[in-house]
Amino acid sequence: MKSDNVKKGMQQAPHRSLFHALGFTKEEMEKPLVGIVSSYNEIVPGHMNIDKIVNAVKLGVAEAGGVPVMFPAIAVCDGIAMGHVGMKYSLVTRDLICDSTEAMAIAHQFDALVMVPNCDKNVPGLLMAAARLNIPTVFVSGGPMLAGHVEGRKRSLSSMFEAVGSYAAGKMTEDDVDEYVNKVCPTCGSCSGMYTANSMNCLTEAIGMGLRGNGTIPAVYSDRIALAKHAGMAVMEMLKKDIKPRDIMTPAAFKNALTVDMALGCSTNTMLHLPAIAHEAGIDLNMEMANEISDKTPNLCHLAPAGPTYMEDLNEAGGIYAVMKELSKKGLLDLDCMTVTGKTVGENIENAVNLNPEVIRPIDNPYMPNGGIAVLKGNLAPDTGIVKRSAVAPEMLKHSGPARVFDCEEDAISAIKGGKINAGDVVVIRYEGPKGGPGMREMLNPTSAIIGMGLGSTVALITDGRFSGASRGAAIGHVSPEAAVGGPIALVHEGDMIDIDINSNSLNLRVSDEELAKRKAEWKPRKPKITTGYLARYAAMVTSGNRGAILEVPGEKE
């Protein structure tokens, strides 16, 4: 066992004395040491129940013959961090989480790990750590929130942000907004739509690193506690069979994850996280393959914010396995991929049943014939731009309009709420990319303001930053190269015409090559917004959005 390095032999006598200080028995010192990575804290609603999940995991590990030892991982609540400087610290925590987990796991020589994440960045951060460490690992999340109910309709956090826009437009009163405040987030858990946290927890199932129900069983259901116990038992089986993350996270498994992503209509943030996770597994996941997969993968689900259904509905309809079963009917998945169950994908989904064809459309009756996410390219986005196609109004799939240019999110929000954005405009928010932000802020406030102001079917938004999974509308993010490195988005002038054709995967600035070259020659890099602390180090090391915003030592790779 790896943990023998800190438990066995005369040289390890001092180590054993420290285990004695922790109350370990001689019997425990003979058993595998299993790290339980807990992202529990008291500031993230999706994490306030994780202490109970962790306790259940411990029981499962102990029942199966291991010794569970908890250590923490940080997590940021994107909702609370939204719309201010705090959002610069959201994406960047993904690497802190990965690095700190690596440090703890190797320093203490754990034999196996159970990861207990839930919200936006600690799910991919811990998946990155699992791939990097490559010791037996199982994931069990804290689970999604139940939907809220306002005026007889299910609601979620995106409804809350849009209510603020409606208030600014004079369509809602302060009392109306207060009702939303008190009702849209009724329980603990990751926010109830197919936002980033739930997207990544569902894809953890699809890629094979989580047990059935990991992405969909609500946080407040007792089934979630049972799932956690089974996760503890499962990691001990993985240890016995020597099944490791890189046995599971193969190129075929990532293609499966992208396929399920398209069927579900996941958050665009998955296009940042999947390449970063694959990178840690030694796999180059080129996001251009997303369009190839999207072209042959029908969109089967329209969960909030794209539609009126929520995670609890997906769970009742059969969950991720039922979605995968539908996809398998057209041969869209590699069924031979190994999973944490010790069985293949095909074996896992063999008996899955779609219990609600309105929540999970049958493969022959999809919402759309192609996937929920599209990768756009053109002279405005030579590398990539990402859009959640399934959440775009049909009339905005093709749009041309004048650029309204803003060099930060705050200026754009002021213009939107001040009534300065008109139908047909294309709002451009730049210098918010991984380096320029730094930190690649989410733009839920401006997208929600656009929807709340009644402009969702007439106004597009383009940024080198990113969008919350709660965003909807013609919101195109991850534009690469970003403005901070002189990408074409930095060269857009107020009033330039921008052509968007999502069905054709194109994003173009209606400006000649000669004029763009002239503007580029005149462009000068801006001084960094932040020059001290972690964000300054992050900005120096981070790559572009199309590469997953992974970190590299400067000069390591062009």
Side-chain angles (χ1 to χ4, degrees), residues 329-492:
K329 293 175 183 179
K330 289 288 180 73
L332 297 175
L333 296 176
D334 187 326
L335 302 181
D336 294 327
C337 291
M338 179 52 62
T339 73
V340 293
T341 65
K343 299 178 180 179
T344 64
V345 169
E347 291 172 314
N348 284 344
I349 69 172
E350 184 176 4
N351 297 318
V353 177
N354 181 356
L355 300 174
N356 189 334
E358 289 305 310
V359 176
I360 304 171
R361 288 284 185 90
I363 194 76
D364 292 322
N365 183 34
Y367 281 103
M368 299 189 305
N370 44 23
I373 291 177
V375 178
L376 311 185
K377 296 189 77 170
N379 70 350
L380 187 50
D383 292 336
T384 56
I386 306 291
V387 65
K388 187 171 183 175
R389 174 166 42 198
S390 59
V392 178
E395 57 268 34
M396 289 298 290
L397 291 171
K398 187 172 184 178
H399 177 77
S400 296
R404 304 297 307 281
V405 182
F406 304 94
D407 288 348
C408 67
E409 178 188 6
E410 289 83 356
D411 290 349
I413 293 171
S414 295
I416 295 165
K417 291 185 176 179
K420 297 178 181 179
I421 301 301
N422 304 309
D425 286 347
V426 178
V427 176
V428 176
I429 304 177
R430 62 192 182 189
Y431 294 99
E432 291 284 10
K435 284 185 180 293
M440 204 178 187
R441 288 195 286 182
E442 287 184 343
M443 303 290 167
L444 180 55
N445 272 348
T447 56
S448 298
I450 286 170
I451 298 293
M453 297 285 285
L455 297 170
S457 61
T458 59
V459 169
L461 196 157
I462 297 172
T463 182
D464 53 6
R466 59 195 177 91
F467 294 108
S468 165
S471 292
R472 61 188 175 105
I476 301 165
H478 308 198
V479 170
S480 303
E482 62 174 294
V485 298
I489 192 170
L491 312 178
V492 181

Side-chain angles (χ1 to χ4, degrees), residues 207 250-263 270-272 274-276 278-279 282-297 332 334 370-377 383-386 389 505 546-547:
I207 209 169
T250 62
F254 280 101
K255 287 184 180 179
N256 279 352
L258 278 168
T259 300
V260 174
D261 190 334
M262 296 301 170
T270 61
M271 298 293 106
L272 274 179
L274 288 176
H279 175 75
I283 298 166
D284 183 13
L285 194 65
N286 188 334
M287 278 297 94
E288 291 186 34
M289 75 165 62
N291 283 340
E292 298 173 20
I293 292 173
S294 179
D295 286 345
K296 59 185 180 183
T297 305
L332 297 175
D334 187 326
N370 44 23
I373 291 177
V375 178
L376 311 185
K377 296 189 77 170
D383 292 336
T384 56
I386 306 291
R389 174 166 42 198
N505 303 316
N546 69 300
R547 294 186 57 207

Side-chain angles (χ1 to χ4, degrees), residues 93-167:
T93 63
R94 187 184 70 180
D95 295 277
L96 283 174
I97 291 160
C98 177
D99 292 347
S100 60
T101 301
E102 173 197 359
M104 288 293 287
I106 294 178
H108 302 103
Q109 293 292 285
F110 287 104
D111 297 301
L113 298 170
V114 179
M115 307 292 200
V116 191
N118 209 29
C119 289
D120 293 14
K121 306 310 170 299
N122 68 333
V123 181
L126 290 179
L127 282 165
M128 289 165 65
R132 184 185 296 177
L133 290 163
N134 201 36
I135 60 176
T137 304
V138 174
F139 277 69
V140 56
S141 75
M145 185 184 291
L146 294 178
H149 292 263
V150 181
E151 298 176 347
R153 293 179 59 191
K154 287 184 177 181
R155 300 287 188 177
S156 63
L157 183 65
S158 55
S159 308
M160 185 71 255
F161 278 87
E162 290 170 14
V164 174
S166 294
Y167 174 79

